[in-house]
Structure formats: structure tokens, C-alpha cells
Amino acid sequence: MAISPLAMKRFRDHLATQGLKLTSQRKAIAEVFFAGDKHLSLLEILDQSKSIQRGIGYATVYRTMRLLTEGGLATEHKFGENQARYEPAIDGEHHDHLICLDCGIIVEFEDDEVEKMQEKHAAANGFAVVSHKHEVYVKCVPGRCRRPGGVRL
Amino acid sequence: MAISPLAMKRFRDHLATQGLKLTSQRKAIAEVFFAGDKHLSLLEILDQSKSIQRGIGYATVYRTMRLLTEGGLATEHKFGENQARYEPAIDGEHHDHLICLDCGIIVEFEDDEVEKMQEKHAAANGFAVVSHKHEVYVKCVPGRCRRPGGVRL
DNA sequence: ATCTCTGCAAACCGTTTGCAATTAT
DNA sequence: ATAATTGCAAACGGTTTGCAGAGAT
């Protein structure tokens, strides 16, 4: 659970260049977000932030995560829930997700081949790719569940 | 805009086996859904259904589409909107989507290669694929827009 | 006759915003 | 000093449901 000093610096810089302020709330939220488990929901971030800075409100978490998302430091996902989840974004990197319906675990994977095929299909139809969402919903192979009983989705 | 008699028959059968009734409302909704443009929202289906059967309510459309979805006759999508869209489902078939952010057009494509790669990544992580969501967001190549000015998303 | 279905209106749930008080610069 | 930020509570928007009356078998 070590905080990423790099990410925090990027956040600081982003705020500075926009003329925005680094408040204790934003700091707490960023610490939770950059240090914690990936793919947290707003409520989970709020909850964990409160143990650093009590009294933080949902709206502040919401607005801070929007700030991070717009600044390219966070990516928002909706994994078949009606709730958003956030993960730290690393500049040019991109990956897709395996989401386990049994245990809720989310595993990332990269695949250049898939990206190439997307380009191909887009071009064939007169389009240029802007972004994509590629989520593979899976179930554990019997006996190989990493989190028995830990259902989330 | 011809109605698919096949799909309608499947709907009839599905209702019959479940002990459910074929009402004039359900018929109107199914006609719109199976005959019309693909990827309609609930509101769009409601709107079009009203011209066949006036007085239809939103809740009925909602419940009928849930019926169709659960019965495997419809597939629900959320294309980066906060609103669901539905398309007729054809038994074993599956396809992915190109969604144009310029003009709102949604184009379908199939790719067995991509599916194979999904299997590969899932297996490598101890999972079995259940389903997937693969949406490629695109923009029109200049001069090749099929629906100039017809923005939806 | 019986059990399903409908439309309405209200509840829901996550997200988004207006506002008066607070805080970082 | 000044402009940004916060927490609250209310608004929003799509979805979901309870219920009494209408309808299909």
C-alpha cells in the first residue's frame, strides 16, 4: 500500500497549472486512490479517505475524481454495475479487463493484436478509432478461485 | 421495415411456455422492436409503440424489454450513455460494435480472432469466458460521414 | 373464474449541482 | 484579500416497483 510519489507529484502539478488548490481533502483522496487497491468505487474511496481526514463528503470525492479523470490521472470504468470505478491511469498505457463474475476479481491484460484488429474494422468502415472498451466477463475455473466466497459483482 | 415473423413467433412461443399472455401492448412493442432500427432506447420504443397502440406506458415497455432480454430475444447495451439500448438477439450469433461519436451511427462487426484471444487471456489467468463487451468508439473519416449533422451521442 | 397485465405515480440509486460558509494561496 | 473549495441537501435522470383496476385465457 505504498503511495506513489510520482502520481502525487503529477496531481500537484496538474492542480498548480490550473490555478487550483491542494486541500487536505484532495490530498487524502489522492493518497487513497493512488496507493490503494485498484478499481475502487466513489463510496469505497470516500470510506477510506475518511480514515485519513474525517468529515470528507461524497461530493468532494466525486469532484476530485472528476478532476483526476479530466486531468488524465484516472480512468473511469463501469464494469456491468451501475456504479463507476476508478483506476490510476499511466500516460500512454492501456489495458483491457477480465472481470470474474464468481469472485469479483479484476485482472488486466494487454493485447496489441486486438487493438490492431479494431483499427482494421474501423478503417474498413470509414472510421478512425478514438477509444475502446473491452471487458471480458469470466468465471473461475473450479478449484482455482483466488478469492473463495469473496463475491462482489 | 418488415416485421420479422420468425422473431415474433419466438416471442409468442416464449410467452406460451411461461404461461404468459400476449397482450396488444406486448404485440405492439415487439413489432416495433423486431421491425425497427436497431439499438433503440426504451423511450424510442415507447414512442414508436404508441403509434400502433396509444396509451402504452413506459413501465410496460420496460417490463416487455426485460422479458425479451431474459428470454434471449433481445440484448441490452449501454454505449457510453446512461441509457440502455436494445437490439434483437439471434440465437448463437454475437457481434461487437463500432460507435461513431460524430454521427451516432452504430456499426456491427464480427471477429473470431478477437474471441480467440479473449479465450487465451482468460485461460492464462485461470478463468473461463462467460461473455464480453467490446465497443470501439470512433469518429468519421473527414468527408465520409454517413449522417452529417445527425449527432446522437 | 382466475391469474396475468397495465398504467400510474412513487421509490430507488448513483450521480450532479446550488449555495453559504471555509480555506489555501 | 481573493478566488477556489467544501459539505450539505436538494435536484436529476434513468430505472424499478407497488398497487388497484383492466384484460387474456
Side-chain angles (χ1 to χ4, degrees):
Chain A
M1 287 281 185
I3 301 149
S4 160
L6 214 85
M8 190 57 92
K9 183 180 183 318
R10 282 217 291 154
F11 183 35
R12 250 175 227 283
D13 290 352
H14 181 65
L15 290 174
T17 54
Q18 308 264 42
L20 304 178
K21 295 168 181 173
L22 178 58
T23 62
S24 60
Q25 290 92 331
R26 283 179 179 167
K27 207 160 138 188
I29 292 164
E31 279 179 19
V32 166
F33 175 62
F34 289 123
D37 294 346
K38 291 182 162 206
H39 311 302
L40 298 174
S41 68
L42 287 179
L43 243 25
E44 289 167 349
I45 296 170
L46 172 62
D47 221 48
Q48 296 188 30
S49 299
K50 276 181 176 166
S51 55
I52 299 180
Q53 261 287 316
R54 58 191 196 67
I56 289 186
Y58 181 93
T60 301
V61 176
Y62 166 74
R63 289 187 274 232
T64 301
M65 292 315 296
R66 181 167 61 184
L67 207 57
L68 287 167
T69 303
E70 288 173 354
L73 299 178
T75 308
E76 186 183 299
H77 293 284
K78 289 208 176 168
F79 295 120
E81 300 170 298
N82 47 349
Q83 177 185 204
R85 291 185 176 278
Y86 298 83
E87 73 174 346
I90 304 171
D91 53 306
E93 275 185 47
H94 180 82
H95 54 255
D96 298 331
H97 297 89
L98 298 171
I99 299 115
C100 183
L101 300 169
D102 284 339
C103 64
I105 283 181
I106 297 171
V107 175
E108 291 152 15
F109 70 93
E110 261 183 283
D111 196 322
D112 293 342
E113 286 302 312
V114 173
E115 314 241 340
K116 276 181 204 149
M117 295 192 184
Q118 292 172 0
E119 303 279 352
K120 184 186 77 181
H121 288 293
N125 285 279
F127 296 119
V129 173
V130 173
S131 67
H132 73 265
K133 176 182 292 194
H134 189 194
E135 295 156 14
V136 182
Y137 295 87
V138 300
K139 61 181 200 294
C140 293
V141 168
R144 291 191 59 186
C145 183
R146 294 165 180 76
R147 190 196 285 171
V151 178
R152 186 172 65 196
L153 292 178
Chain B
M1 286 283 182
I3 299 149
S4 160
L6 213 85
M8 190 58 92
K9 182 180 184 318
R10 284 217 291 153
F11 184 35
R12 249 176 227 283
D13 291 350
H14 181 64
L15 290 175
T17 54
Q18 307 265 40
L20 305 178
K21 295 169 181 172
L22 178 58
T23 62
S24 60
Q25 291 92 331
R26 284 180 179 166
K27 207 160 140 189
I29 292 165
E31 279 178 20
V32 165
F33 175 61
F34 289 124
D37 294 346
K38 291 182 161 205
H39 311 302
L40 299 174
S41 68
L42 287 179
L43 244 24
E44 288 167 350
I45 296 171
L46 171 61
D47 222 48
Q48 296 188 30
S49 299
K50 276 181 176 165
S51 55
I52 299 180
Q53 261 287 316
R54 57 192 196 68
I56 289 186
Y58 182 93
T60 301
V61 176
Y62 166 75
R63 288 187 274 231
T64 301
M65 292 315 298
R66 181 167 60 185
L67 206 58
L68 287 166
T69 303
E70 288 172 355
L73 300 179
T75 308
E76 185 183 300
H77 292 286
K78 289 207 177 168
F79 295 121
E81 299 171 298
N82 46 349
Q83 177 185 205
R85 290 186 178 277
Y86 298 83
E87 72 174 346
I90 304 172
D91 53 305
E93 274 185 44
H94 180 80
H95 54 254
D96 298 330
H97 297 88
L98 298 171
I99 299 115
C100 183
L101 300 169
D102 284 338
C103 66
I105 283 181
I106 298 172
V107 175
E108 291 153 15
F109 70 94
E110 262 184 282
D111 196 322
D112 293 342
E113 286 301 311
V114 173
E115 312 241 340
K116 277 181 204 149
M117 295 190 185
Q118 293 173 358
E119 303 279 353
K120 185 186 76 182
H121 288 292
N125 285 279
F127 296 119
V129 174
V130 173
S131 66
H132 72 265
K133 177 182 294 193
H134 189 194
E135 295 155 14
V136 182
Y137 295 87
V138 300
K139 60 182 200 293
C140 294
V141 168
R144 291 190 57 185
C145 183
R146 293 166 181 75
R147 190 196 285 170
V151 177
R152 187 172 65 195
L153 293 176

